[in-house]
Amino acid sequence: MDNTKVGMIERKAVIFNVQKYNMYDGPGIRTIVFFKGCPLRCQWCSNPEGLEKKYQVMFKKSLCIDCGACAAVCPVGIHSITQGKHEINRDIDCTGCSKCVNVCSQEALSIVGEVKTISELLEIVEEDRMFYEMSGGGVTLSGGEVLMQPEAATNLLMACKQEGINTAIETSGYAKLEAVLQIAEFTDLFLYDIKHYNSERHLELTGVRNELILQNLQELLRRRYDVLIRMPLLKGINDSQDEIDDVIQFLRPFRDYKNFQGIHLLPYHKLGVNKYNQLGKDYKIEGDPSLNSEELDRIENMIKKYDFPVKVIKH
């Protein structure tokens, strides 16, 4: 093993999940590695446990019997019993020791966040090599936002490429161009989100403007990296004809590029809503902004009129 690979394997990533047998985030059967930390705060985010890079306590209050066992073992005082009820101080950073989880008889607690070396992650990914070869699949790095850990992500992608494993990343594109291009060298496919074309509205919905996102997308397409656009769709938020037209006009110059892989429409879903309560966070989407089949067909046909390859992805 050469020194480059040794150095690569010594790097570590902060992750919050590894999902196997995924059929939605890239071609074939895939293993998804979820990186922790994200610069966006999308109101509909289905992975709120991936927003912050630090360890976090997830608490299922309905299972708790207020026994105080967790408070007795927590080394930093996150847990307490106040007037007979279990309370969590979210202002204190969890150390990830899992002592509270180990003593909880009701399985009401879990710790989200894990530090893995690149070699450990590669070993997990390689377990399903047979399925990748059979289906044309591979590994997809997701989050959170994988571009918040560019060195670790690049090294994992590099290791996968050295082992002949197809690579993809799912990204908001909100990062310095240098980080994007560093990762691009070892990425077979970018699954690139366009959440809203209007920058002011993007700021309201995600906490950041979108100029950098769109600029990075243009650079990837111009430099001939394979890109598949993904558009999360929420009724009354980004499903209007004007919004779809704006996105199409932005992408139109790249429609005939061989590296432009088309558009996937991602209907809103409520998976992950319960996680907000477990993390002590508020879910900001009110009502149900789901689109029905007719509305999804309308948007799909609107895009097809411009000869774009488009598909609705229903999990």
Side-chain angles (χ1 to χ4, degrees), residues 7 67 71 89 113 129 178 190 258 269:
C67 67
N89 187 338
R129 177 185 288 274
E178 292 82 358
F190 282 85
K258 289 183 178 180
H269 60 73

Side-chain angles (χ1 to χ4, degrees), residues 13-18 36 53 55 111-116:
V14 182
I15 68 166
F16 64 92
N17 192 20
V18 177
K36 216 168 182 317
K53 195 175 176 182
Y55 296 109
I111 304 298
V112 61
E114 195 174 3
V115 177
K116 292 280 191 184

